[in-house]
Amino acid sequence: MSSTAQRTSWPARSGCPAPGPPAESMAATDHTGDLANIDVPTLVLCGDADTVTGVPASQVLAGGIPGAVFVTLRGAGHLANQERPDAFNAWTESFVHITERLREHTPAHV
């Protein structure tokens, strides 16, 4: 990442507005380089109308995590679990179920 990109806050780089002064330090902290260290099943679920995190930033998040699954929920914003609870729950339950089944059929690491 270039030094200019490192000095630019995450919302500015993602095209999403910052949520206000209380979140500026969080928004300015970039842990993108740490994503590759996540070694657990990960579902990144984003509403297609999310203006807080946004689809582009969520795609970066999912793309940086090995094996992550990215899902966009139509008609949902940042609070997809509240705006589209049936779809959110269905995706989450399916992901957990598939993850559990894969774990059952994968040899344990020695």
Side-chain angles (χ1 to χ4, degrees), residues 7 44 106:
R7 289 190 303 264
V44 178
T106 302

Side-chain angles (χ1 to χ4, degrees), residues 5 21 32-33 37-38 43-44 46 51-52 57 60 62 85 87 90 102-103 110:
T32 308
N37 297 324
I38 297 173
L43 173 64
V44 178
C46 180
T51 60
V52 177
V60 169
L102 287 172
R103 188 177 306 136
V110 178

Side-chain angles (χ1 to χ4, degrees), residues 31-104:
H31 292 285
T32 308
D34 298 323
L35 296 175
N37 297 324
I38 297 173
D39 62 356
V40 295
T42 305
L43 173 64
V44 178
L45 210 151
C46 180
D48 65 352
D50 184 345
T51 60
V52 177
T53 304
V55 172
S58 296
Q59 289 172 322
V60 169
L61 181 67
I65 301 170
V69 174
F70 176 73
V71 174
T72 303
L73 286 183
R74 290 188 189 133
H78 187 65
L79 300 175
N81 61 320
Q82 295 175 26
E83 298 162 342
R84 298 278 321 277
D86 292 341
F88 182 93
N89 290 339
W91 276 105
T92 303
E93 289 172 9
S94 293
F95 181 78
V96 169
H97 177 74
I98 291 167
T99 300
E100 289 173 345
R101 295 290 298 184
L102 287 172
R103 188 177 306 136
E104 291 171 7

